[in-house]
Amino acid sequence: MGDWAGFDSTCWCKFLDPLDPLYTEIQKKFIAKQTEFYGTDHIYGIDIFNELIPPSWDPKYLARVSRQVYESLEAADPEAKWLEMAWLFWNEREYWEVDNRIEAYITSMPKDRHIMLDYYCERQPVWERTDAYYGVPYIWCYLGNFGGNSMLAGNLEIVNERIENAIKNGGDNLVGIGSTLEGFDCNPFMYQFVFEKAWDMPQHQDLDTWAGTLAQMRTGVNNDEARAAWKELFDEIYIQRSVPGHSPIMNLRPSFQRSTSYHSSIRFNYENDKLREVIDHLLAADGHGPSYEFDLVNLTRQYLSNRFEQRFADYKAAYEKGDTAEMAALKDELLGTFDTLEELLGSQPYFLVGKWIADARSWGADATEADYFESNARNLLTTWGDRGNLLTDYADRSWAGLVGTYYKGRWEMFFKAVDEAMAAGEKLEGERFDTLLEAMKDFEYAWWSERPGTFASKPVGNPVELVRTVFDK
């Protein structure tokens, strides 16, 4: 099917042609074996062209292929329904939104046997671009996170408006509200909102009222400080949607130029001082419970990450001026942020790479398998493939263990290379930077393939006191 994300051709997706008679036989055997193992709810997820270019863009061909896929499902299970992501209609919209290709592709089978997942509705509901999927049943979905990245994101007011609009104007073929998240450890309340909106919340619910209720739930107390914190979060912080690579700069390969990671978006559309005010309100609320502790750590994590970006801009300015004394002081401060975050994140079970690795190893039947699963678990968080892959940092996360070894390790290499260049009267660019980049790729590969270090799989420390200590400093 061609290139995908720069992977070697041996990893390219292969296309089993649905028009070949053997396709139906393979489908029947596969589903029979799957049903033997797991049973069936008669709903089957198949995405034959997701982020791929079809062999032909002829609408008649697209209709024939999708019809044959459905008929192969029906031959295997007469009650089968085909569940399909609509991400391709947005991601490759310049190809799909011509010549009635979408309509031809999704309406070639009985409509009641097809369900589309409208994948990224907080940015663009595809139902609005396709006449509500031409009557094919669909589910309105909130994505909210790419790769499990650690970033405060969620355009709450827009999500609310778009769900209400879909319910009002999306047609009788709107059959549900769902989520296509790739990770929810940073913004769990956004998913709570989406599903409360689906099940319990009246239309035109006042968001301030919901925020006040949520404040009491998450802090364990009912006071003005708690309510002020959550109102400010809704009004000032949660005003932007998640995008691919929505990550703190400290989690990405360091560079004075644009990030060398394929996916990277470090923007935050609020003043960091506003986030500090929210944290101050939460501390003053004097709450208790796991969600209160999680929120304090998570918001402080983001505050420190944003602060790192601001201070790195100062470091870059000092570098441009050749002010080595200022650079040295800022380098110490920036590297110290990794240590502060490492300790802070270690107090939360959701932010432990050690737990991620321990869970992966638990699936191994023996030591060899456990090592294999650990390598894969580390790889997912780092390079997503072999050495120097284009998707490096796609699934970066601010987790204890990762922060203190992997991310800090790359920045230590960067600062060392800057110091060496300055000592030689040069800039970190050209061949010098290329040499550093290759060294970082070797470091990344070794971190997941050789599995250095062991990491705590259980939280340590009092999260509230650790947050107070951060700001006492």
Side-chain angles (χ1 to χ4, degrees):
M1 295 290 284
D3 182 27
W4 184 80
F7 279 91
D8 183 85
S9 60
T10 57
C11 298
W12 290 359
C13 292
K14 308 301 187 292
F15 183 60
L16 300 181
D17 185 1
L19 304 181
D20 190 302
L22 281 176
Y23 185 93
T24 298
E25 294 305 309
I26 293 171
Q27 185 81 281
K28 289 164 65 177
K29 291 178 182 294
F30 182 89
I31 288 178
K33 183 59 67 175
Q34 178 176 271
T35 302
E36 176 187 334
F37 285 148
Y38 304 114
T40 183
D41 56 9
H42 309 291
I43 299 175
Y44 303 93
I46 303 176
D47 300 286
I48 57 177
F49 296 134
N50 192 53
E51 298 190 6
L52 298 167
I53 301 300
S56 169
W57 281 116
D58 183 349
K60 292 181 180 179
Y61 170 81
L62 296 172
R64 239 181 12 256
V65 166
S66 61
R67 174 74 187 189
Q68 186 59 39
V69 169
Y70 164 72
E71 289 182 350
S72 74
L73 280 175
E74 187 181 43
D77 178 354
E79 299 180 60
K81 291 186 178 183
W82 178 5
L83 180 72
E84 186 172 16
M85 294 191 294
W87 170 254
L88 70 169
F89 302 143
W90 170 252
N91 200 52
E92 283 80 42
R93 55 194 176 278
E94 68 270 27
Y95 301 110
W96 281 100
E97 292 184 339
V98 294
D99 299 332
N100 297 317
R101 289 168 179 172
I102 296 175
E103 184 176 10
Y105 179 71
I106 68 175
T107 62
S108 66
M109 66 203 76
K111 291 180 180 179
D112 64 346
R113 295 301 183 89
H114 202 179
I115 306 171
M116 302 302 303
L117 295 177
D118 204 347
Y119 207 78
Y120 192 17
C121 286
E122 70 265 35
R123 178 170 185 178
Q124 176 58 68
V126 172
W127 71 264
E128 296 180 341
R129 306 167 72 96
T130 58
D131 194 17
Y133 290 101
Y134 310 103
V136 174
Y138 70 97
I139 297 172
W140 188 103
C141 293
Y142 172 71
L143 202 166
N145 189 290
F146 291 86
N149 298 148
S150 302
M151 181 68 83
L152 303 185
N155 44 342
L156 191 85
E157 187 172 345
I158 292 176
V159 168
N160 185 56
E161 291 173 356
R162 289 185 173 171
I163 292 177
E164 291 192 354
N165 183 46
I167 292 172
K168 180 180 179 181
N169 301 309
D172 293 339
N173 53 316
L174 171 64
V175 295
I177 294 175
S179 182
T180 45
L181 68 165
E182 295 183 3
F184 56 24
D185 286 344
C186 272
N187 306 293
F189 81 89
M190 282 299 305
Y191 303 93
Q192 180 180 350
F193 174 81
V194 167
F195 291 110
E196 285 195 13
K197 189 71 179 175
W199 290 105
D200 302 318
M201 196 180 295
Q203 293 295 291
H204 313 302
Q205 168 72 51
D206 174 46
L207 293 184
D208 286 345
T209 300
W210 194 80
T213 303
L214 187 70
Q216 184 175 349
M217 291 172 58
R218 295 197 68 83
T219 62
V221 294
N222 184 12
N223 60 42
D224 290 343
E225 293 287 358
R227 285 189 292 273
W230 277 93
K231 178 170 173 49
E232 196 159 351
L233 273 174
F234 280 19
D235 292 347
E236 304 285 348
I237 308 302
Y238 280 92
I239 57 175
Q240 64 185 118
R241 66 175 182 269
S242 178
V243 297
H246 207 174
S247 311
I249 193 174
M250 61 195 302
N251 291 8
L252 305 176
R253 279 185 191 149
S255 167
F256 286 126
Q257 293 76 42
R258 186 180 182 277
S259 171
T260 60
S261 299
Y262 181 65
H263 288 283
S264 59
S265 177
I266 59 176
R267 299 184 303 275
F268 54 96
N269 298 341
Y270 53 87
E271 295 296 326
N272 207 30
D273 287 344
K274 289 290 185 182
L275 186 54
R276 171 66 190 273
E277 289 177 12
V278 172
I279 297 168
D280 287 342
H281 281 309
L282 283 178
L283 288 170
D286 197 23
H288 55 82
S291 60
Y292 175 70
E293 295 173 352
F294 171 89
D295 290 335
L296 271 176
V297 170
N298 190 33
L299 298 178
T300 304
R301 172 204 60 75
Q302 186 69 58
Y303 175 84
L304 291 173
S305 299
N306 296 344
R307 172 85 174 158
F308 184 98
E309 180 184 349
Q310 295 166 334
R311 298 300 277 164
F312 179 62
D314 295 337
Y315 177 87
K316 183 178 179 180
Y319 165 80
E320 296 292 348
K321 293 186 297 184
D323 188 342
T324 54
E326 178 70 4
M327 289 171 61
L330 286 166
K331 177 180 71 172
D332 290 343
E333 178 184 335
L334 290 166
L335 289 177
T337 303
F338 288 96
D339 300 331
T340 300
L341 264 180
E342 178 77 7
E343 184 178 17
L344 180 66
L345 295 167
S347 70
Q348 283 296 299
Y350 308 96
F351 299 146
L352 298 177
V353 78
K355 183 180 185 305
W356 172 267
I357 290 172
D359 287 349
R361 292 190 65 86
S362 71
W363 287 93
D366 53 36
T368 300
E369 267 196 4
D371 289 347
Y372 172 77
F373 288 138
E374 178 177 343
S375 293
N376 273 268
R378 289 173 177 247
N379 183 285
L380 273 171
L381 301 178
T382 53
T383 65
W384 255 55
D386 210 337
R387 178 185 178 280
N389 188 272
L390 278 176
L391 288 177
T392 292
D393 295 326
Y394 176 82
D396 72 87
R397 305 178 189 189
S398 297
W399 285 0
L402 267 176
V403 167
T405 63
Y406 186 75
Y407 301 138
K408 184 181 181 183
R410 291 194 300 194
W411 281 87
E412 286 175 329
M413 296 171 69
F414 172 76
F415 287 129
K416 182 174 184 292
V418 173
D419 290 345
E420 290 173 350
M422 296 292 283
E426 300 177 5
K427 295 287 189 180
L428 183 60
E429 55 191 26
E431 186 176 343
R432 275 189 177 274
F433 183 77
D434 291 341
T435 299
L436 170 64
L437 184 58
E438 291 306 307
M440 283 195 286
K441 289 178 181 180
D442 288 340
F443 171 81
E444 294 163 353
Y445 178 78
W447 194 90
W448 69 258
S449 64
E450 298 175 11
R451 307 180 306 282
T454 56
F455 308 103
S457 58
K458 294 183 180 180
V460 176
N462 183 311
V464 178
E465 291 307 313
L466 286 171
V467 170
R468 292 188 187 279
T469 299
V470 166
F471 293 109
D472 287 344
K473 290 179 181 179

